[in-house]
Amino acid sequence: MVTVNLGMLHYVLDHVYGAFVHRTKISPPFFSSGWGGTKLELLERMIKQLFLDLQGQNWPPSLVQPVWKTVWESQSATLREGVFRTPCDEQLLSALPPESHIARVAFLAPKSTPPHKMACVVHLAGTGDHTFERRLRLGGPLLKENIATMVLESPFYGKRRPLLQRGSKLLCVSDLLLLGRATIEEAQSLLHWLDCEAGFGKMGICGLSMGGVHAAMVGSLHPTPIATLPFLSPHSAVVAFCEGILKHATAWEALRDDLSMPEASMTLEEVKERMRNVLSLTDVTRFPIPKDPRAVIFVAATDDGYIPRHSVLELEKAWPGSEVRWVRGGHVSSFLLHNGAFRRAIVDGLSRLQWKESPL
C-alpha cells in the first residue's frame, strides 16, 4: 500500500502551477522594464515618511464620495458599483499611470438591516485578481450574518491596468510600491466613508496574498479597532519575490542591466540584495500593532510554496494577541478550497469588536 504525503502534494502543486504560469513564455516576467528610476526614489522617500507619520497624523484621510450605480437588487440584498477619483496627493498621482487615477469599487450589502447594526469588510486584491467576482463570491454568504462586502479594484489591475502592462506582470519595481501605497490610501478613505457617511457599526479589512499584506498595513494604521484579516499572506513582499515561487517570475537580468554602469556590471546576488532592501519597506512587522490585536486573524496554509511558515509566524510574533489559523494545503489549493475558513475568520474577527454607538 502506497501512502501519499498530501502536504508534499499541495507544495508540489504550487510549484507546478508556478512553473506553468511563471517559467513559460505565456506572459513576461515581473519588472521587465527595470526599477522605475526616479519614481522608485520618490516612493522610497514617501514610504519612509509614512513610518514617521504613523502616530495618527495621517488621519482622517481624504473622504471620497463614490458615484454609485445599481448592478442588481433582490428582496434581501443589493449590489452597487461605484467610481471615485483616487485620494492620493498630487505627488503620488503624477507617479500613477493615468489609467489608475479613477478607482472602482463593488458594494454588496443586505437591505433590511440599518447600517449601524451591520458590519462591512473591505476586500483587497491578491496578485492576479483583476475583477470583483472572486471576492464577491467570498463575501456573498456573509450577507446572512449581516456582513456587507466592499471590493476595491487595485491600481494597475482590471480597468486600472496600464496599456503596456501584460496581465498582472508589473513593468517596474516602483509599480509594486505605487500599487501598495495607493491601495492603502484608497482603503483608508473607503473605511472612513463606511464609518462617517454610511454609518456601519463595525468594519474590517481583508485580503489574500498580496492583498493580505495591504490589509495588514491598513489595519495597523487605522486609529480605532477594526477586524484585520490577512489570508495566505507573507510579512513582507521580500518573501514573495526573493524566497517564494515568484523569484522565478522576476526579470533579474533586466534589473541587473538597469543598475549596471558602463564601467562595472553588478552580480545577480547584488541585484537581489538591492531588491531585498527596497522591498523591506513592505515589512508589516515594522508597522504598529493594530488597536485591538484580538481582532487580527491570519489564515495560513500548512504547505504553501509561495509563503513559508516562518513568515506567518513573524507576523504573529510582531502582533501579540493576534491569532494564526492553519488550513491544510498549499497556496493554490487553499485559495480554491478554503473559502469557508476565510469566512469563519471574518465572522470571528468582527465578533471580537464592540459595536459603535448607534446614532440618536
Side-chain angles (χ1 to χ4, degrees):
M1 181 178 165
V2 179
T3 58
V4 179
N5 183 332
L6 283 178
M8 183 55 71
L9 274 181
H10 289 301
Y11 187 78
V12 168
L13 174 62
D14 280 351
H15 282 266
V16 169
Y17 175 83
F20 177 72
V21 172
H22 303 309
R23 298 201 203 188
T24 60
K25 300 297 182 188
I26 292 173
S27 65
F30 282 97
F31 317 133
S32 57
S33 296
W35 296 89
T38 55
K39 281 188 184 179
L40 182 59
E41 294 163 21
L42 166 72
L43 284 154
E44 286 182 289
R45 285 199 307 275
M46 290 182 78
I47 291 171
K48 285 170 183 169
Q49 184 61 39
L50 179 67
F51 287 115
L52 299 176
D53 291 343
L54 290 180
Q55 303 310 314
Q57 295 110 313
N58 59 344
W59 200 268
S62 304
L63 184 62
V64 293
Q65 291 291 354
V67 177
W68 298 101
K69 67 171 186 182
T70 300
V71 178
W72 60 256
E73 200 168 357
S74 70
Q75 285 187 321
S76 58
T78 178
L79 175 64
R80 294 186 289 164
E81 289 184 8
V83 293
F84 60 94
R85 184 175 168 81
T86 183
C88 297
D89 64 27
E90 287 305 316
Q91 204 177 24
L92 204 53
L93 200 65
S94 65
L96 278 169
E99 297 91 340
S100 291
H101 287 191
I102 300 300
R104 295 175 65 239
V105 67
F107 189 23
L108 178 64
K111 282 173 70 174
S112 56
T113 309
H116 69 273
K117 292 186 177 179
M118 274 197 292
C120 184
V121 176
V122 177
H123 293 237
L124 303 181
T127 303
D129 192 356
H130 287 260
T131 66
F132 296 140
E133 279 72 24
R134 190 201 68 77
R135 286 171 283 164
L136 286 174
R137 283 201 304 274
L138 178 62
L142 298 173
L143 289 169
K144 64 181 183 294
E145 310 272 356
N146 280 329
I147 298 171
T149 292
M150 181 174 271
V151 179
L152 174 65
E153 181 182 71
S154 285
F156 295 90
Y157 274 24
K159 293 185 177 176
R160 307 179 72 185
R161 180 165 57 97
L163 193 60
L164 296 177
Q165 180 184 306
R166 293 271 305 280
S168 310
K169 300 300 176 65
L170 303 174
L171 293 170
C172 300
V173 176
S174 59
D175 293 347
L176 184 66
L177 297 184
L178 260 175
L179 187 162
R181 178 68 196 256
T183 296
I184 290 165
E185 295 204 11
E186 290 167 7
Q188 287 180 315
S189 290
L190 288 171
L191 287 166
H192 191 40
W193 182 87
L194 287 166
D195 185 21
C196 297
E197 294 288 306
F200 276 85
K202 292 183 183 183
M203 294 178 302
I205 185 90
C206 80
L208 191 142
S209 196
M210 174 183 75
V213 176
H214 297 151
M217 292 174 175
V218 173
S220 161
L221 296 173
H222 202 80
T224 59
I226 62 172
T228 302
L229 306 148
F231 303 145
L232 310 180
S233 168
H235 75 284
S236 162
V238 170
V239 174
F241 287 97
C242 299
E243 294 180 30
I245 289 170
L246 292 184
K247 69 184 178 189
H248 302 300
T250 299
W252 296 112
E253 300 283 352
L255 291 169
R256 178 172 67 180
D257 293 345
D258 196 25
L259 281 178
S260 294
M261 304 294 178
E263 65 277 8
S265 179
M266 296 187 77
T267 67
L268 283 177
E269 260 327 298
E270 289 172 320
V271 175
K272 289 176 182 178
E273 191 54 35
R274 167 73 173 133
M275 180 71 91
R276 284 180 174 277
N277 288 336
V278 170
L279 296 186
S280 68
L281 294 169
T282 67
D283 187 343
V284 177
T285 64
R286 298 172 62 189
F287 280 68
I289 298 171
K291 296 298 179 289
D292 187 351
R294 295 175 312 119
V296 178
I297 300 176
F298 303 103
V299 179
T302 53
D303 301 283
D304 195 321
Y306 287 76
I307 313 300
R309 179 182 285 257
H310 77 80
S311 185
V312 180
L313 297 177
E314 284 186 46
L315 283 168
E316 183 185 32
K317 182 180 175 184
W319 289 356
S322 64
E323 179 186 353
V324 175
R325 296 181 178 180
W326 295 95
V327 293
R328 185 161 295 284
H331 202 75
V332 175
S333 60
S334 297
F335 165 81
L336 296 171
L337 300 174
H338 289 302
N339 280 342
F342 302 147
R343 291 187 193 108
R344 277 194 299 278
I346 291 171
V347 171
D348 292 347
L350 289 167
S351 74
R352 296 171 187 180
L353 298 173
Q354 298 292 317
W355 288 98
K356 190 172 72 176
E357 288 185 18
S358 62
L360 297 175

